[in-house]
Amino acid sequence: MRRNLRWAAAGLVTAVAFAIPTWLCGAVFLPSMVTDDAVRWSLSSALGVVLATLAVAWGQGFATRARQEDPPSDGPVTASGERSIAVKGNPAGNVSTGDSGTRNTPARPETAAPAAPAPDSPQPEPEPGPGSVTASGERSIAINGNPGGTVSTGDQFGADPA
């Protein structure tokens, strides 16, 4: 349940915890025992305030409690791609696969290393099971949970050195 809805529910419970006991005591239970209206409604209101105070204490805890997340399942965690990240759970900080503040300049064609030969047939990747976390692409991110910070797969460059 979202936080705003929890606050609304807590406020509604508080209002009901005040209104219903106050009305029941003032209009139903106390008229036969207390004949003075001012005294009767004062006692009823005091009881309503006590019960509403308890409801406020409950409501504040209910509205501000941390959201209960589904626990991560027991599947495998795999990060097979180059510069890939696979996380099971809820990472609290930032997650990034890119460079921060530096630029990797590509090698000139005359000094570049020869390309690796392509494999004859691609190896099929195993089918991920339930609860698994897999990041298999280059600079990919897979998270089974809710990240607490930013998630970035791109390079973040500083000023251009040219």
Side-chain angles (χ1 to χ4, degrees), residues 83 96-104 139 153-157:
R83 295 173 68 181
S96 175
T97 62
D99 295 330
S100 178
T102 61
R103 170 170 273 168
N104 293 336
R139 294 190 341 187
T153 60
D155 290 339
Q156 301 167 357
F157 298 114

Side-chain angles (χ1 to χ4, degrees), residues 55-117:
V56 165
W58 167 84
Q60 193 273 337
F62 172 74
T64 59
R65 72 177 178 210
R67 192 173 185 182
Q68 295 177 355
E69 302 295 334
D70 295 332
S73 57
D74 295 331
V77 177
T78 307
S80 61
E82 181 179 333
R83 295 173 68 181
S84 63
I85 301 170
V87 179
K88 183 180 286 191
N90 300 323
N94 299 333
V95 178
S96 175
T97 62
D99 295 330
S100 178
T102 61
R103 170 170 273 168
N104 293 336
T105 56
R108 289 189 232 143
E110 62 269 7
T111 61

Side-chain angles (χ1 to χ4, degrees), residues 10-161:
L12 181 64
V13 166
T14 301
V16 167
F18 173 78
I20 292 188
T22 301
W23 178 80
L24 282 174
C25 285
V28 177
F29 297 125
L30 290 179
S32 63
M33 293 182 272
V34 181
T35 56
D36 185 14
D37 284 346
V39 174
R40 182 176 68 235
W41 285 106
S42 296
L43 289 173
S44 299
S45 296
L47 175 66
V49 166
V50 168
L51 293 176
T53 303
L54 294 174
V56 165
W58 167 84
Q60 193 273 337
F62 172 74
T64 59
R65 72 177 178 210
R67 192 173 185 182
Q68 295 177 355
E69 302 295 334
D70 295 332
S73 57
D74 295 331
V77 177
T78 307
S80 61
E82 181 179 333
R83 295 173 68 181
S84 63
I85 301 170
V87 179
K88 183 180 286 191
N90 300 323
N94 299 333
V95 178
S96 175
T97 62
D99 295 330
S100 178
T102 61
R103 170 170 273 168
N104 293 336
T105 56
R108 289 189 232 143
E110 62 269 7
T111 61
D120 292 338
S121 63
Q123 297 293 329
E125 293 191 22
E127 191 68 29
S132 65
V133 180
T134 303
S136 59
E138 180 181 344
R139 294 190 341 187
S140 62
I141 298 174
I143 298 176
N144 182 5
N146 293 323
T150 59
V151 177
S152 172
T153 60
D155 290 339
Q156 301 167 357
F157 298 114
D160 193 16

